[in-house]
Amino acid sequence: IVSMAALVTTVLVSLLGRGMMRLVPIMSGIAVGYLCSIALGIHDFSKVIAAPWFGVPDFVFPEFRWEAILFIIAPAIEHFGDIIAISSVAGKDFLKDPGIKSTMLGDGIATMLASFLGGPPNTTYSEVTGAVALTRAFNPGVMTWAAIWAIVLSCVNKLGAFLSSIPVPVMGGIMILLFGAIMVVGLNTLVRAGEDLMEPRNLAVVALIIIFGVGGMTFNIGSFRLGGIGLAAVTGVLLNLVLPRAVHAHKKVKAKPE
């Protein structure tokens, strides 16, 4: 009930919303889902009440782990895919301007800075691309101000406790749409490029990427674990390298005019 209420609200606001409402379908879904969770008695305000109003995030000294070093391959591949996806959504070729080397450099510097401040590594989060596709907010300045406010609000402990109190089904319902949106963006990119997805090689690559990504597939070696989008990205790259290409693979299907 909670997850579907959040999902339906997000979809309806994105389709029927006007003006300011058009920009906040996800917030609307969270609000309705949260109210439903309160009505059903599955919320927990105890952490919000106990949390102080203001505080400084806990900083810890960074440490080296070989699992984290190996895992960097996955977010690097995901970064490349997300830049292609956001280029398709925004209608601009960010691979050329500012260029993948610049975006990857910025991602790396941000991750190093976060680690030295005791935070987790950064990732480009594919679902954010889905949110951009949903709200049509393409101006990079929006993300800049969002980042600044996120830093400022991180010192408001009450807000952090409130966000962590959002029941899992609320975000789960919304994530169905966001992750579905990024998958559609990727498939649309292939179609617009004229790729034949029914060609056996392409079919195998795309099918395994999708099912590995959304089906909960995981790969474990000791304490090292790779799953989700990271595993899907690595799988796609490896399959593209090892699977033999058909003789006619260079022929592309003529894309329909937009």
Side-chain angles (χ1 to χ4, degrees):
I1 294 174
V2 173
S3 63
M4 290 302 101
L7 174 59
V8 170
T9 301
T10 304
V11 172
L12 290 179
V13 173
S14 66
L15 294 177
L16 305 177
R18 294 292 182 270
M20 186 65 182
M21 291 299 295
R22 175 79 178 177
L23 299 176
V24 291
I26 298 174
M27 292 294 294
S28 301
I30 292 175
V32 171
Y34 203 99
L35 290 175
C36 286
S37 68
I38 293 176
L40 294 174
I42 62 173
H43 66 293
D44 182 10
F45 281 130
S46 59
K47 292 183 178 179
V48 180
I49 297 174
W53 276 101
F54 301 101
V56 179
D58 294 328
F59 296 111
V60 296
F61 193 76
E63 60 183 49
F64 286 94
R65 290 178 179 266
W66 69 269
E67 299 95 334
I69 296 174
L70 289 177
F71 186 75
I72 198 172
I73 299 173
I77 297 173
E78 182 184 355
H79 174 99
F80 193 89
D82 287 339
I83 294 300
I84 295 176
I86 199 67
S87 296
S88 176
V89 170
K92 299 180 180 180
D93 190 356
F94 294 118
L95 292 177
K96 292 184 178 179
D97 184 19
I100 193 66
K101 62 181 184 299
S102 298
T103 59
M104 191 77 76
L105 176 63
D107 201 358
I109 292 175
T111 291
M112 288 188 291
L113 179 60
S115 298
F116 277 113
L117 293 177
N122 296 280
T123 181
T124 44
Y125 277 120
S126 300
E127 60 267 34
V128 177
T129 303
V132 172
L134 194 64
T135 61
R136 316 301 293 176
F138 300 140
N139 187 350
V142 173
M143 294 299 176
T144 301
W145 280 106
I148 293 174
W149 276 107
I151 294 172
V152 173
L153 295 177
S154 67
C155 296
V156 182
N157 289 6
K158 285 284 188 186
L159 178 61
F162 174 76
L163 294 177
S164 65
S165 72
I166 297 176
V168 173
V170 176
M171 296 310 300
I174 296 173
M175 288 302 175
I176 293 174
L177 179 61
L178 296 186
F179 278 112
I182 187 61
M183 185 172 70
V184 172
V185 169
L187 292 175
N188 186 55
T189 300
L190 292 174
V191 171
R192 294 172 73 177
E195 297 291 345
D196 182 7
L197 298 184
M198 296 307 296
E199 196 273 325
R201 183 181 185 277
N202 293 341
L203 185 64
V205 174
V206 174
L208 291 176
I209 288 175
I210 292 176
I211 299 305
F212 277 17
V214 303
M217 179 74 173
T218 59
F219 180 77
N220 300 284
I221 299 180
S223 59
F224 176 74
R225 179 180 178 275
L226 186 62
I229 293 178
L231 177 60
V234 173
T235 299
V237 171
L238 293 178
L239 289 176
N240 189 56
L241 291 174
V242 302
L243 291 183
R245 296 180 180 272
V247 177
H248 61 282
H250 65 281
K251 296 182 180 179
K252 294 184 178 180
V253 178
K254 186 176 180 180
K256 293 181 180 180
E258 297 182 3

